[in-house]
Amino acid sequence: MMIRLATIADLPAISAIYAFARTQMAKDNNPDQWGKTYPALDVLEADIAAKYLYVIEEAGNIGGVFAFILGEDPTYQQIEGSWLDDQPYGTIHRIAGNGKVKGVFNKALAFCEQLEPNIRIDTHQNNKRMQHLIKKNGFVYCGIILTDDQTPRLAYQKKRP
């Protein structure tokens, strides 16, 4: 298993993973979080250009993808609740797996914690699968944030000692 920065050449595999994730979300009674097209190609291209997007490879195949962004997230500046602290942090966004590689969330989190031990993440209230993974991995619920399109998300933070 290897985690590396994504490249433009990875976009077909990444797009297939996100399509699979959207299908799974819909099956899990969460069709609205990513709709039918999120994340759009321009978002992925911008993530790649900014060196935010990572892929998880296993046996030469891409089985997972996530964005890890260091620094202030504009959607996290206002929260109905409170963050654990105001220290620098990284944010995990757009995490998804292909359903074949196991432990994508755990692998991504361990990688991100090596770069920044203070991590934030959010998810839709209907995304029970992600909520389970977040809580299982020691994140603390902090409150509600609003995304760019003003939809609410459950916000969490984890600080590694």
Side-chain angles (χ1 to χ4, degrees):
M1 192 273 316
M2 176 178 81
I3 295 178
R4 64 169 174 79
L5 284 168
T7 68
I8 293 296
D10 297 325
L11 282 175
I14 290 168
S15 295
I17 289 171
Y18 283 127
F20 174 79
R22 288 189 299 270
T23 299
Q24 289 304 116
M25 286 178 168
K27 287 180 182 176
D28 288 347
N29 195 34
N30 183 26
D32 300 324
Q33 183 172 352
W34 284 358
K36 296 187 186 300
T37 60
Y38 186 84
L41 188 58
D42 62 327
V43 170
L44 299 175
E45 290 171 341
D47 281 350
I48 290 169
K51 300 188 183 324
Y52 294 155
L53 199 65
Y54 293 86
V55 294
I56 299 173
E57 281 187 337
E58 191 168 87
N61 296 311
I62 296 173
V65 60
F66 63 95
F68 187 58
I69 303 167
L70 293 169
E72 291 284 323
D73 185 316
T75 62
Y76 288 3
Q77 291 177 353
Q78 303 256 338
I79 185 169
E80 182 181 313
S82 62
W83 295 109
L84 299 179
D85 63 30
D86 292 325
Q87 299 300 309
Y89 61 92
T91 306
I92 299 173
H93 282 300
R94 297 180 279 289
I95 186 164
N98 66 359
K100 298 173 187 164
V101 172
K102 301 300 178 204
V104 166
F105 186 89
N106 294 351
K107 291 171 186 173
L109 177 60
F111 175 84
C112 294
E113 285 180 318
Q114 292 176 0
L115 301 176
E116 171 56 64
N118 192 5
I119 298 178
R120 295 180 182 180
I121 192 167
D122 66 84
T123 193
H124 193 279
Q125 68 181 7
N126 290 341
N127 196 336
K128 304 301 183 195
R129 185 183 308 236
M130 184 59 66
Q131 289 173 49
H132 170 75
L133 289 170
I134 288 169
K135 292 172 189 171
K136 177 181 165 187
N137 281 280
F139 282 83
V140 175
Y141 175 74
C142 295
I144 306 280
I145 59 102
L146 297 177
T147 63
D148 291 335
D149 68 2
Q150 300 302 299
T151 57
R153 295 289 188 267
L154 306 176
Y156 300 84
Q157 185 174 0
K158 178 181 183 181
K159 290 188 66 147
R160 191 181 71 207

